[in-house]
Amino acid sequence: MLTGIKLRLYPNQTQVNQLWQMFGNDRFVWNRMLDMMNERYKNNKDLPFLTKFKLNYLLKPLKKEYPFLKNSDSSSLQLVNEFLNQSWKNFFKDKTGTVGKPRFHSRRYLKPSYTGKSIVKIAGRRYLYLPKLGYIKTSKTGVLKDVKIKRYTVSLEPSGKYYLSIQAEVKEPEKLKKTGKQVGIDVGITDLAILSNGLKYPAFDASYFEKQSQIWQSKYSRRRHLAHLLCEQDKNQKVLNPRSLESFSNWQRARKLKARYQKKVANKRKDYLHKLTTHLVRQYDVIAIE
């Protein structure tokens, strides 16, 4: 069966620079290929559709013209073509007009990430070997034993943390032993769940982190608004070197702290629900929910 595994990455500064280069290369190839396909479709809509294999054939001359593309994992650029090809297929298959043509990827609004399907090797308890990046520190790699990695995605979260998401093929999980017990669950407001045997599970509580998240969300919005006003002021006054939003460190700090507290709340909620559902599944054979 296929499952998803997510690990935290700890790249050094050289690897961080490489990752940003690879993020940009994927975006660059998408935009170049999309621009070519748009012109082709605009000039003659009856031309045969370009398959992902034909798009991959164009990567070789593109790498000669732009040598920096060689710094990326070649499989990631091929997957960009595959995703673009699928987007065009969805556009042509749609008869309702709700699916539009693929759009260009923006550096400012696109989540930094790239997907590859090359071989990922376990180099130690807390180290992996990734193509082009070399040996990179990660969280515990024990979960990757006896699994077949199909493809992987390296991404940068708004909190500033790097993650490796893996699509892996694993063996079927072992079945739990029968307990002969049954239970009914009533989902409440004051309590998260009330069992038919009288047991209650309290509602999830992360009030401190939720409050900090709200505080930094307000600071983020206020600082971004002020930074935007200053940028517009420089633009109107035709300053020689106008400031950009990215140049305001206090806004960048608020953005990261806001994202970190929001991620903290989400992780705690997920952990609480996983522990609760795992306990219920191990204790009861039949579970009825309102």
Side-chain angles (χ1 to χ4, degrees):
M1 60 177 289
L2 291 178
T3 187
I5 301 173
K6 194 171 185 178
L7 301 175
R8 172 85 182 275
L9 293 180
Y10 302 90
N12 56 37
Q13 189 56 50
T14 301
Q15 291 170 333
V16 168
N17 296 335
Q18 288 178 299
L19 284 171
W20 276 101
Q21 176 71 63
M22 296 167 82
F23 296 155
N25 288 351
D26 273 28
R27 185 179 64 252
F28 179 82
V29 170
W30 173 281
N31 290 338
R32 292 287 295 185
M33 294 295 185
L34 178 57
D35 182 58
M36 180 268 296
M37 295 181 78
N38 281 340
E39 288 296 324
R40 194 170 184 269
Y41 181 74
K42 180 180 178 180
N43 294 331
N44 189 351
K45 295 184 180 181
D46 297 327
L47 287 174
F49 183 72
L50 288 178
T51 64
K52 62 181 179 181
F53 302 104
K54 292 182 179 179
L55 290 175
N56 289 340
Y57 185 77
L58 297 175
L59 284 176
K60 190 174 182 179
L62 196 64
K63 287 182 179 180
K64 287 186 178 180
E65 186 176 359
Y66 303 99
F68 58 82
L69 294 178
K70 297 179 181 179
N71 296 327
S72 286
D73 178 5
S74 58
S75 66
S76 69
L77 302 182
Q78 293 172 4
L79 284 174
V80 169
N81 289 336
E82 183 179 332
F83 298 150
L84 180 60
N85 175 265
Q86 187 60 48
S87 298
W88 275 98
K89 283 183 178 180
N90 295 339
F91 168 65
F92 286 119
K93 288 181 179 179
D94 179 59
K95 303 299 181 182
T96 61
T98 57
V99 179
K101 289 193 298 183
R103 297 182 180 182
F104 291 100
H105 285 173
S106 169
R107 177 180 62 85
R108 181 173 296 179
Y109 300 107
L110 183 69
K111 180 180 178 180
S113 66
Y114 79 91
T115 302
K117 53 183 179 180
S118 299
I119 298 176
V120 177
K121 298 179 181 178
I122 300 176
R125 186 182 176 188
R126 297 198 61 181
Y127 279 90
L128 289 175
Y129 182 85
L130 293 178
K132 297 295 182 180
L133 291 175
Y135 297 98
I136 185 169
K137 188 176 181 181
T138 179
S139 50
K140 294 181 180 180
T141 58
V143 293
L144 299 181
K145 291 183 179 180
D146 301 324
V147 303
K148 182 179 180 182
I149 299 175
K150 307 294 286 185
R151 61 176 58 181
Y152 66 92
T153 299
V154 179
S155 59
L156 172 64
E157 297 289 334
S159 58
K161 298 178 181 179
Y162 292 86
Y163 287 93
L164 175 68
S165 301
I166 295 174
Q167 183 190 62
E169 187 176 309
V170 298
K171 298 179 181 178
E172 289 286 342
E174 296 181 2
K175 294 184 178 180
L176 299 176
K177 295 181 180 179
K178 297 289 184 179
T179 62
K181 297 180 181 180
Q182 303 177 0
V183 71
I185 302 177
D186 178 27
V187 181
I189 298 176
T190 305
D191 297 305
L192 177 62
I194 305 172
L195 305 189
S196 56
N197 56 16
L199 185 62
K200 296 181 179 180
Y201 290 96
F204 169 74
D205 181 29
S207 54
Y208 171 77
F209 296 105
E210 289 176 348
K211 184 178 180 180
Q212 291 297 319
S213 174
Q214 293 173 359
I215 291 173
W216 283 103
Q217 176 68 53
S218 300
K219 291 183 179 181
Y220 164 80
S221 300
R222 183 170 61 253
R223 292 178 183 181
R224 189 182 188 282
H225 176 67
L226 293 175
H228 180 71
L229 290 179
L230 291 175
C231 290
E232 289 296 320
Q233 181 180 347
D234 289 353
K235 184 178 179 181
N236 294 332
Q237 294 179 355
K238 298 182 180 180
V239 178
L240 184 61
N241 294 316
R243 288 169 288 188
S244 63
L245 286 175
E246 289 76 11
S247 63
F248 291 87
S249 59
N250 61 342
W251 171 67
Q252 294 286 351
R253 180 171 178 269
R255 180 179 62 83
K256 286 187 177 181
L257 286 173
K258 168 189 72 83
R260 286 180 183 178
Y261 281 116
Q262 290 174 345
K263 188 68 174 177
K264 192 78 172 178
V265 173
N267 287 342
K268 282 186 169 294
R269 182 182 292 108
K270 183 186 293 185
D271 179 68
Y272 182 73
L273 293 176
H274 275 314
K275 288 179 178 177
L276 172 59
T277 52
T278 301
H279 173 73
L280 291 173
V281 169
R282 291 183 181 275
Q283 293 293 324
Y284 305 100
D285 292 343
V286 179
I287 301 174
I289 305 177
E290 181 189 11

